[in-house]
Amino acid sequence: MRLLLVEDDPLLVEGLASQLEKAGFSVDVTGTAKAAIILGEQEDYRAGVLDLGLPDGNGLDVLRHWRSNNAHFPVLILTARGDWQDKVNGLKAGADDYLAKPFQAEELIARLHAIVRRSEGRGQSSLRAGRFELDENRQNLKLPDGSEHSLTGTEFRLLRCLMSRPGHVFSKEQLMEQLYNLNESPSDNIIEAYIRRLRKLVGAETITTRRGQGYLFHDAP
Ligand code: CA
């Protein structure tokens, strides 16, 4: 699940990016409003974290640009503590939630999961598809027989993507985009390798290949 982190404080970014990665996001980072506007409109993000005080502009303008250019991914803004006007203006500009600095990474991640869930029309922190249940907090998968399997980071991200839209065909490129950030350049056949591993877990009939198109997760195999 791709996430754009817009923050110009390198110390904050350093700690936060790795915690977001651990929580299952593939993170792109930028510290300028200009780059944030371009990335938000070009890339297929599932969530954004947006600092309002950027060196070359205001985060609210970035958000307005995104929203008026069909970039509708859920966005959490980072505000200064006690600045209620920032919060109000942020929500009016199209933010989905806000958090005042300083904050705990755990709270940020919990809030991000909540706004992503809402954007996907879900109320719970587990993702169900067919008789399978994916726990986003623990990153494990419950099989129809009730057994639970913990997943590696990449397995989790891939399965999360496929299970978020059962029956939908995801191309290899779309899956790569959600799994890896802009700085990573995995080899071409990495998706196939991970699909093979997941099939061992959920059964070959649950994740099928559409030749020349991509992969899909069946919710009623
Ligand atoms: Ca800042």
Side-chain angles (χ1 to χ4, degrees), residues 104-139:
Q104 295 294 322
E106 286 81 359
E107 183 177 1
L108 175 71
I109 288 164
R111 287 180 177 275
L112 279 174
H113 278 148
I115 60 175
V116 170
R117 278 203 300 275
R118 281 203 294 274
S119 76
E120 292 175 347
R122 285 186 293 132
Q124 296 156 330
S125 66
S126 65
L127 189 64
R128 285 165 206 264
R131 295 173 302 145
F132 296 91
E133 195 177 327
L134 191 65
D135 186 319
E136 294 192 309
N137 296 323
R138 294 186 297 150
Q139 302 194 359

Side-chain angles (χ1 to χ4, degrees), residues 6-9 12 31 51-55 78 101:
V6 185
E7 170 61 63
D8 60 316
D9 177 349
L12 182 57
D51 180 33
L52 295 188
L54 298 168
L78 301 177
K101 289 180 178 180

Side-chain angles (χ1 to χ4, degrees), residues 1 46 116-117 120-122 124-136 139-144 147 149 151 154-170 175 178-179 195 198-199 201-203 206-208 215-221:
M1 184 164 38
R46 293 289 188 266
V116 170
R117 278 203 300 275
E120 292 175 347
R122 285 186 293 132
Q124 296 156 330
S125 66
S126 65
L127 189 64
R128 285 165 206 264
R131 295 173 302 145
F132 296 91
E133 195 177 327
L134 191 65
D135 186 319
E136 294 192 309
Q139 302 194 359
N140 68 10
L141 179 73
K142 200 171 181 182
L143 300 184
S147 63
H149 294 261
L151 303 166
T154 309
E155 287 170 349
F156 171 76
R157 292 181 205 186
L158 179 55
L159 202 50
R160 198 203 169 286
C161 191
L162 291 167
M163 285 176 70
S164 69
R165 290 181 72 186
H168 176 83
V169 181
F170 287 93
L175 293 172
Q178 291 305 319
L179 255 56
I195 291 278
L198 289 179
R199 277 180 179 148
L201 204 54
V202 300
T206 305
I207 301 175
T208 57
Y215 303 94
L216 74 159
F217 191 99
H218 294 271
D219 51 358

